[in-house]
Amino acid sequence: MLIEVQAKLPGENNRDYSYRVIKEAIMSLRLKPGQSLSEAEIAEALQISRTPIREVMAKLREEHLVEVIPQVGTYISKIKPTLIEEAIFVRIILEKEILKQSCISFPKNVLVELKNNIAHQELLLDQKGMEQEFHKLDKQFHFLIFQGNNKENVWDSIIRLSTHYNRMRLLAEMNLSFSDAILQHKAIVQMIENKDVDQVETIVREHIIEPTKLWEDLYKPNSPYVEYFDLTKKMPVF
């Protein structure tokens, strides 16, 4: 069981605690797509009763992260092309609009935060095994753009819809490189700073659509990760 036992956060009850650590294990790929889960083992590992674990499983099932096969067992959901495609569709539409808005007006203090975020991203480039840290900084970078436009809840909605997409992205970052993403983040900041709204379409395509073309090797039949995917439907091509 690859669930990291962590200290509870202040005011965190057993249900919230188990939800946080189980979901983090799924999103970080420590719990692998397709892997079976045992409520009893999780409860024992986290030293809590099975009742909150059962409630958490129901919630994760609603988020398409856990699947229950009657009389067989509970499993981590494999990465589904249709859910990736939906997340990309939403991100393209909403990030275009938020970047256009950012080019019209954007707080200087948040622009400074974006630059600091990129500086931290660059520190990870020469270090091994930093994909998880980069992934966190990447999500924070995009959150800051929405926050700078007072649209934090919109970003939260994107994140809820992006569980399969973000697992795919993390897998790609673990096997490819995130150096191009950093260059694109720099270009986004420069575009906002220069109020260059004409570049929005191009940069969204480069940052969201183009990387998907590098994913194919990860789900080919000879890939070590092919079992992570539900390939009953073709992976999307954008």
Side-chain angles (χ1 to χ4, degrees):
M1 185 62 61
L2 296 173
I3 292 177
E4 184 180 347
V5 179
Q6 305 172 22
K8 284 185 181 178
L9 299 175
E12 195 172 43
N13 60 31
N14 283 345
R15 183 180 181 278
D16 292 342
Y17 167 68
S18 54
Y19 172 75
R20 176 171 61 85
V21 297
I22 295 168
K23 185 169 182 177
E24 188 177 302
I26 295 171
M27 295 306 299
S28 67
L29 299 175
R30 287 196 300 276
L31 287 175
K32 296 176 174 53
Q35 181 176 338
S36 65
L37 287 176
S38 163
E39 289 182 7
E41 287 180 16
I42 294 172
E44 185 179 354
L46 299 181
Q47 294 293 290
I48 59 178
S49 73
R50 289 181 65 175
T51 301
I53 301 297
R54 199 170 296 117
E55 292 171 354
V56 165
M57 289 300 167
K59 186 174 181 180
L60 292 171
R61 189 177 177 185
E62 288 176 3
E63 296 178 5
H64 306 289
L65 287 174
V66 164
E67 292 180 358
V68 178
I69 302 175
Q71 281 137 19
V72 177
T74 302
Y75 297 85
I76 304 298
S77 295
K78 291 190 176 186
I79 299 172
K80 292 181 169 61
T82 51
L83 294 178
I84 293 175
E85 191 166 21
E86 285 187 16
I88 291 175
F89 175 80
V90 168
R91 283 199 66 167
I92 289 169
I93 299 298
L94 295 179
E95 296 220 22
K96 276 182 186 177
E97 293 309 311
I98 208 73
L99 288 175
K100 287 176 184 176
Q101 198 168 313
S102 299
C103 288
I104 296 167
S105 174
F106 197 78
K108 288 183 179 179
N109 64 308
V110 183
L111 199 60
V112 170
E113 287 188 66
L114 287 173
K115 291 178 180 179
N116 288 338
N117 179 286
I118 292 173
H120 283 100
Q121 291 176 32
E122 290 186 301
L123 290 175
L124 303 178
L125 269 175
D126 298 325
Q127 301 182 53
K128 290 184 178 179
M130 288 291 110
E131 298 85 10
Q132 297 276 2
E133 289 305 310
F134 171 76
H135 197 63
K136 289 177 186 175
L137 287 169
D138 181 284
K139 287 192 292 184
Q140 180 66 12
F141 177 86
H142 289 275
F143 165 74
L144 286 168
I145 296 173
F146 281 80
Q147 185 185 53
N149 289 279
N150 298 312
K151 297 290 187 293
E152 295 99 321
N153 290 323
V154 175
W155 177 249
D156 288 343
S157 297
I158 292 172
I159 287 294
R160 283 195 295 274
L161 201 70
S162 299
T163 50
H164 286 238
Y165 171 67
N166 279 331
R167 285 193 294 166
M168 183 75 222
R169 285 184 57 239
L170 178 59
L171 185 63
E173 287 155 7
M174 290 166 64
N175 289 274
L176 301 168
S177 170
F178 49 80
S179 57
D180 285 346
I182 294 175
L183 291 174
Q184 290 156 12
H185 288 161
K186 286 182 173 180
I188 288 170
V189 169
Q190 187 175 28
M191 180 184 67
I192 293 171
E193 207 164 20
N194 295 340
K195 300 185 183 299
D196 193 359
V197 71
D198 291 339
Q199 286 298 310
V200 168
E201 294 274 348
T202 300
I203 208 153
V204 166
R205 173 166 287 278
E206 287 178 354
H207 194 54
I208 298 176
I209 299 175
E210 290 300 320
T212 67
K213 296 174 183 176
L214 302 175
W215 295 352
E216 187 178 354
D217 286 344
L218 298 173
Y219 54 84
K220 281 182 176 176
N222 61 347
S223 165
Y225 305 106
V226 70
E227 293 301 321
Y228 284 14
F229 299 96
D230 177 354
L231 295 176
T232 53
K233 293 188 178 179
K234 286 183 67 176
M235 292 296 280
V237 178
F238 296 95

